[in-house]
Amino acid sequence: MGNTRSTQSSIPKNIKLLYGQALTSQTLSYYIQALNAIQSTDNTNQDIDQLEYNIILNISNIYIKQDHHLALAKVYIDIALLIAHQLGQEDKMATCLNKRDSIKIDEDDYDTAFVDYHQSLKAELKRKKFGGSSVYHAYLKIGKVFYDRC
Protein backbone atom coordinates (compact mmCIF):
# COMPACT_ATOMS: atom_id res chain seq x y z
CA MET A 1 0.00 0.00 0.00
CA GLY A 2 2.98 2.28 0.47
CA ASN A 3 3.68 1.95 -3.26
CA THR A 4 0.25 3.32 -4.08
CA ARG A 5 1.09 6.59 -2.37
CA SER A 6 4.39 7.02 -4.18
CA THR A 7 2.77 6.08 -7.49
CA GLN A 8 -0.03 8.56 -6.91
CA SER A 9 2.31 11.44 -6.13
CA SER A 10 4.63 10.99 -9.13
CA ILE A 11 1.82 11.03 -11.69
CA PRO A 12 0.51 14.43 -12.81
CA LYS A 13 -2.95 15.29 -11.49
CA ASN A 14 -4.54 15.66 -14.92
CA ILE A 15 -3.45 12.14 -15.85
CA LYS A 16 -4.67 10.73 -12.54
CA LEU A 17 -8.03 12.41 -13.09
CA LEU A 18 -8.41 11.04 -16.63
CA TYR A 19 -7.34 7.58 -15.52
CA GLY A 20 -9.81 7.67 -12.63
CA GLN A 21 -12.60 8.64 -15.01
CA ALA A 22 -11.58 5.84 -17.37
CA LEU A 23 -11.59 3.26 -14.59
CA THR A 24 -14.96 4.40 -13.34
CA SER A 25 -16.67 4.57 -16.71
CA GLN A 26 -14.63 1.98 -18.64
CA THR A 27 -14.92 4.38 -21.57
CA LEU A 28 -12.41 4.12 -24.36
CA SER A 29 -12.29 7.89 -24.87
CA TYR A 30 -11.05 8.51 -21.30
CA TYR A 31 -8.37 5.85 -21.67
CA ILE A 32 -7.25 7.40 -24.96
CA GLN A 33 -7.19 10.87 -23.39
CA ALA A 34 -5.12 9.59 -20.46
CA LEU A 35 -2.76 7.81 -22.86
CA ASN A 36 -2.36 10.98 -24.95
CA ALA A 37 -1.67 13.00 -21.79
CA ILE A 38 1.03 10.53 -20.75
CA GLN A 39 2.62 10.56 -24.18
CA SER A 40 2.67 14.36 -24.25
CA THR A 41 4.29 14.73 -20.84
CA ASP A 42 7.98 15.60 -20.71
CA ASN A 43 8.81 13.75 -17.51
CA THR A 44 8.62 10.01 -17.48
CA ASN A 45 9.37 7.64 -14.69
CA GLN A 46 8.62 4.07 -13.80
CA ASP A 47 5.28 4.99 -12.23
CA ILE A 48 4.13 6.69 -15.41
CA ASP A 49 5.39 3.77 -17.50
CA GLN A 50 3.44 1.37 -15.26
CA LEU A 51 0.32 3.49 -15.67
CA GLU A 52 0.81 3.63 -19.43
CA TYR A 53 1.05 -0.18 -19.44
CA ASN A 54 -2.18 -0.46 -17.43
CA ILE A 55 -4.02 1.97 -19.70
CA ILE A 56 -2.89 0.21 -22.85
CA LEU A 57 -3.89 -3.18 -21.46
CA ASN A 58 -7.31 -1.79 -20.49
CA ILE A 59 -7.75 -0.40 -23.99
CA SER A 60 -6.93 -3.84 -25.40
CA ASN A 61 -9.55 -5.37 -23.09
CA ILE A 62 -12.19 -3.02 -24.47
CA TYR A 63 -11.24 -3.96 -28.02
CA ILE A 64 -11.24 -7.68 -27.17
CA LYS A 65 -14.85 -7.36 -26.01
CA GLN A 66 -15.65 -5.94 -29.45
CA ASP A 67 -14.90 -8.98 -31.61
CA HIS A 68 -14.63 -6.91 -34.77
CA HIS A 69 -11.71 -4.95 -33.28
CA LEU A 70 -9.38 -7.86 -32.46
CA ALA A 71 -6.68 -6.48 -34.76
CA LEU A 72 -6.62 -3.27 -32.70
CA ALA A 73 -6.56 -5.29 -29.49
CA LYS A 74 -3.48 -7.16 -30.74
CA VAL A 75 -1.72 -3.88 -31.54
CA TYR A 76 -2.33 -2.54 -28.04
CA ILE A 77 -1.30 -5.84 -26.45
CA ASP A 78 1.96 -5.77 -28.41
CA ILE A 79 2.61 -2.19 -27.22
CA ALA A 80 1.93 -3.24 -23.63
CA LEU A 81 4.31 -6.17 -24.13
CA LEU A 82 7.05 -3.77 -25.25
CA ILE A 83 6.51 -1.60 -22.18
CA ALA A 84 6.56 -4.65 -19.91
CA HIS A 85 9.80 -5.75 -21.54
CA GLN A 86 11.32 -2.28 -21.03
CA LEU A 87 10.25 -2.38 -17.39
CA GLY A 88 11.76 -5.86 -17.07
CA GLN A 89 8.58 -7.21 -15.51
CA GLU A 90 8.13 -10.84 -16.48
CA ASP A 91 4.66 -11.08 -14.94
CA LYS A 92 3.40 -8.25 -17.12
CA MET A 93 5.03 -9.85 -20.17
CA ALA A 94 3.29 -13.14 -19.35
CA THR A 95 -0.05 -11.32 -19.02
CA CYS A 96 0.38 -9.78 -22.47
CA LEU A 97 1.39 -13.09 -24.05
CA ASN A 98 -1.63 -14.79 -22.49
CA LYS A 99 -4.00 -12.12 -23.83
CA ARG A 100 -2.46 -12.26 -27.27
CA ASP A 101 -2.69 -16.03 -27.30
CA SER A 102 -6.33 -16.05 -26.30
CA ILE A 103 -7.01 -14.06 -29.46
CA LYS A 104 -4.83 -16.40 -31.52
CA ILE A 105 -6.79 -19.39 -30.24
CA ASP A 106 -10.06 -17.69 -31.18
CA GLU A 107 -8.57 -17.24 -34.67
CA ASP A 108 -7.49 -20.94 -34.76
CA ASP A 109 -3.80 -19.95 -34.89
CA TYR A 110 -2.76 -22.77 -32.56
CA ASP A 111 0.90 -22.97 -33.57
CA THR A 112 1.64 -19.36 -32.66
CA ALA A 113 -0.45 -19.62 -29.51
CA PHE A 114 1.47 -22.72 -28.46
CA VAL A 115 4.83 -20.98 -28.90
CA ASP A 116 3.68 -17.87 -27.03
CA TYR A 117 2.11 -19.86 -24.19
CA HIS A 118 5.41 -21.68 -23.84
CA GLN A 119 7.21 -18.30 -23.55
CA SER A 120 4.64 -17.21 -21.00
CA LEU A 121 5.22 -20.38 -18.99
CA LYS A 122 8.97 -19.77 -19.00
CA ALA A 123 8.38 -16.24 -17.68
CA GLU A 124 6.08 -17.57 -14.96
CA LEU A 125 8.58 -20.22 -13.95
CA LYS A 126 11.29 -17.59 -13.58
CA ARG A 127 9.02 -15.44 -11.47
CA LYS A 128 7.32 -18.09 -9.35
CA LYS A 129 10.17 -20.53 -8.95
CA PHE A 130 8.02 -23.55 -9.93
CA GLY A 131 4.98 -22.63 -7.89
CA GLY A 132 1.80 -20.65 -7.88
CA SER A 133 -1.54 -20.87 -9.61
CA SER A 134 -0.39 -18.90 -12.66
CA VAL A 135 2.12 -21.65 -13.47
CA TYR A 136 -0.68 -24.19 -13.13
CA HIS A 137 -2.87 -22.15 -15.49
CA ALA A 138 -0.01 -21.79 -17.97
CA TYR A 139 0.34 -25.57 -18.14
CA LEU A 140 -3.41 -25.93 -18.58
CA LYS A 141 -3.39 -23.45 -21.46
CA ILE A 142 -0.54 -25.26 -23.18
CA GLY A 143 -2.41 -28.54 -22.80
CA LYS A 144 -5.61 -27.01 -24.18
CA VAL A 145 -3.80 -25.56 -27.19
CA PHE A 146 -2.08 -28.87 -27.83
CA TYR A 147 -5.39 -30.75 -27.56
CA ASP A 148 -7.27 -28.25 -29.77
CA ARG A 149 -4.62 -28.30 -32.44
CA CYS A 150 -4.72 -32.11 -32.78
Side-chain angles (χ1 to χ4, degrees), residues 9 21 27 31 49 86 93 101 108 112 114 122 125 131 146:
S9 63
Q21 290 171 325
T27 305
Y31 282 117
D49 291 342
Q86 290 171 346
M93 288 185 261
D101 295 337
D108 295 332
T112 306
F114 185 78
K122 287 187 338 188
L125 289 174
F146 187 74

Side-chain angles (χ1 to χ4, degrees), residues 110-111 114 142-150:
Y110 297 112
D111 291 334
F114 185 78
I142 288 173
K144 183 180 179 338
V145 169
F146 187 74
Y147 177 80
D148 288 347
R149 117 181 195 197
C150 292

Side-chain angles (χ1 to χ4, degrees), residues 10 15 42 55 58 61 64 77 88 98 110-111 129 137 146:
S10 64
I15 295 172
D42 289 335
I55 290 170
N58 287 335
N61 289 336
I64 287 170
I77 291 167
N98 286 333
Y110 297 112
D111 291 334
K129 304 294 181 204
H137 290 288
F146 187 74

Side-chain angles (χ1 to χ4, degrees), residues 4 89 117 124 136:
T4 304
Q89 294 185 355
Y117 274 142
E124 289 294 334
Y136 167 77

Side-chain angles (χ1 to χ4, degrees), residues 46-108:
Q46 188 167 0
D47 293 336
I48 291 176
D49 291 342
Q50 297 271 357
L51 183 60
E52 183 177 24
Y53 167 87
N54 291 336
I55 290 170
I56 290 171
L57 213 57
N58 287 335
I59 290 171
S60 76
N61 289 336
I62 290 171
Y63 283 132
I64 287 170
K65 290 176 186 173
Q66 303 169 356
D67 286 338
H68 57 283
H69 289 325
L70 290 179
L72 281 171
K74 285 192 270 187
V75 169
Y76 279 97
I77 291 167
D78 288 342
I79 293 168
L81 182 60
L82 287 172
I83 294 170
H85 183 69
Q86 290 171 346
L87 292 170
Q89 294 185 355
E90 307 248 347
D91 59 329
K92 292 187 184 316
M93 288 185 261
T95 298
C96 293
L97 289 171
N98 286 333
K99 284 186 174 298
R100 187 170 70 184
D101 295 337
S102 294
I103 294 171
K104 292 192 184 291
I105 288 170
D106 288 344
E107 298 172 335
D108 295 332

